[in-house]
Amino acid sequence: MIFLAPVLLVAGLFALGLTVPVPHLGRDYVLRLVLPDAGQPVDLPKVYGPQDNSRPLVVIDAGHGGRDPGASGAAIREKTVVLGLAQSLKEALLANGGVRVAMTREDDSFLVLEERPEIARRLRADLLVSIHADSAAGASGVSGASIYTLSQQASSEAAARFAARENRVDRVNGIGVDGRSQEVVDILVELAQRRVQGASAELASLIEREGQGKLQFHPQARRSAPLAVLRAPDVPAVLYEAGFITNPEDAERLTSAEGREQFASTMARAIRIFLARRSGE
């Protein structure tokens, strides 16, 4: 009977025309979340270096970030390691002047894969370098860096997909496509993709050449894969797997000031040679 007392009390008050006061706490509180409009492009990052658009622009992409930590090693996470490497490369490129640099992220921000090459496209970059670190669970002896370019099949597929949506932009590789037929756009995108793939392979070769005796490479240093960050049809791009954070020697090298400096100086030299060659074309 005691459990029915509250119910009987409320019923009696209601029968007499009375009400039970209800606290107002929270009743007038409205939670509002401001969300971006659908399809709203990501904000473009700051461009460092000379404020001269004729200077080449390199976009450095530190892989992962935010809720995506990437690979994990002994008390280190990929997103943190590669951000340190990316910042060192930015400083090395800016130190000698003549090159503009932008970074897809400069903190622990999260970016979806498709945003990264799109940033490079919208900035009309001359080059995109994406930096990652690998892991090999249960195989701590695996070590060394690898350089990835887009695989040929993925390159053709990316060109086809890009051409299919190209009416949303106005240029491909500096050539205006507004008002052109879809057949012409398909051809322009395919030609741009071939040119970009050749340039990407050239940079990969330069990184491997300049890194001999300075960087530790995996026995299979040159690789190709259908990686989303490499799919922009008009921006040369490589993905650099800097080493295995599950390997103690690699992890020490990638997290030490000396190791970051060696990586940055070598990569910066390869990039400058690449840009010098492209400027002569």
Side-chain angles (χ1 to χ4, degrees):
M1 184 66 181
I2 190 172
F3 297 107
L4 295 176
V7 177
L8 294 174
L9 176 61
V10 173
L13 290 173
F14 182 78
L16 295 173
L18 302 175
T19 60
V20 179
V22 179
H24 286 268
L25 180 63
R27 288 171 57 186
D28 296 324
Y29 180 77
V30 178
L31 179 64
R32 290 185 173 89
L33 297 176
V34 179
L35 299 175
D37 296 334
Q40 181 177 326
V42 65
D43 291 337
L44 293 178
K46 178 180 179 179
V47 176
Y48 296 89
Q51 299 304 301
D52 178 357
N53 290 341
S54 68
R55 300 289 186 174
L57 171 61
V58 178
V59 172
I60 305 172
D61 172 47
H64 306 281
R67 62 178 180 269
D68 174 17
S72 297
I76 58 175
R77 293 184 291 183
E78 181 181 0
K79 67 175 184 177
T80 305
V81 172
V82 299
L83 181 58
L85 293 172
Q87 290 169 334
S88 295
L89 178 55
K90 181 191 82 170
E91 293 166 3
L93 285 169
L94 293 175
N96 292 323
V99 176
R100 296 179 297 146
V101 179
M103 295 179 65
T104 57
R105 69 177 181 95
E106 297 190 72
D107 53 23
D108 193 23
S109 300
F110 173 79
L111 294 172
V112 300
L113 289 175
E114 290 75 10
E115 288 178 313
R116 300 167 188 266
E118 186 60 23
I119 287 173
R121 287 203 75 243
R122 291 178 61 204
L123 287 174
R124 298 189 179 180
D126 297 274
L127 178 63
L128 171 64
V129 177
S130 187
I131 304 172
H132 289 251
D134 217 331
S135 66
S140 61
V142 181
S143 67
S146 302
I147 313 157
Y148 283 83
T149 54
L150 190 64
S151 63
Q152 190 58 49
Q153 180 179 355
S155 174
S156 298
E157 292 172 353
R161 283 196 302 272
F162 187 87
R165 65 180 175 86
E166 191 52 30
N167 59 347
R168 295 205 298 264
V169 298
D170 61 351
R171 303 183 75 79
V172 176
N173 202 31
I175 301 175
V177 298
D178 187 34
R180 296 178 185 264
S181 68
Q182 189 60 51
E183 290 78 10
V184 172
V185 172
D186 291 347
I187 293 171
L188 289 174
V189 171
E190 183 67 29
L191 290 174
Q193 191 86 46
R194 290 181 187 177
R195 180 177 180 273
V196 160
Q197 287 306 100
S200 301
E202 180 183 357
L203 176 60
S205 295
L206 285 169
I207 293 172
E208 189 176 20
R209 188 191 78 180
E210 294 301 312
Q212 293 301 321
K214 303 178 183 69
L215 302 177
Q216 180 70 37
F217 287 110
H218 187 274
Q220 186 184 351
R222 293 283 301 280
R223 307 186 187 197
S224 62
L227 302 172
V229 76
L230 304 177
R231 290 176 183 261
D234 47 3
V235 180
V238 299
L239 186 147
Y240 184 81
E241 289 277 6
F244 287 76
I245 59 177
T246 47
N247 179 288
E249 293 182 2
D250 276 11
E252 182 179 359
R253 181 171 60 253
L254 298 177
T255 55
S256 69
E258 181 181 357
R260 288 194 299 268
E261 193 281 329
Q262 186 72 278
F263 157 81
S265 62
T266 302
M267 289 288 288
R269 185 163 51 253
I271 289 170
R272 284 186 172 277
I273 294 171
F274 170 82
L275 294 174
R277 287 182 178 180
R278 307 304 288 181
S279 67
E281 294 184 354

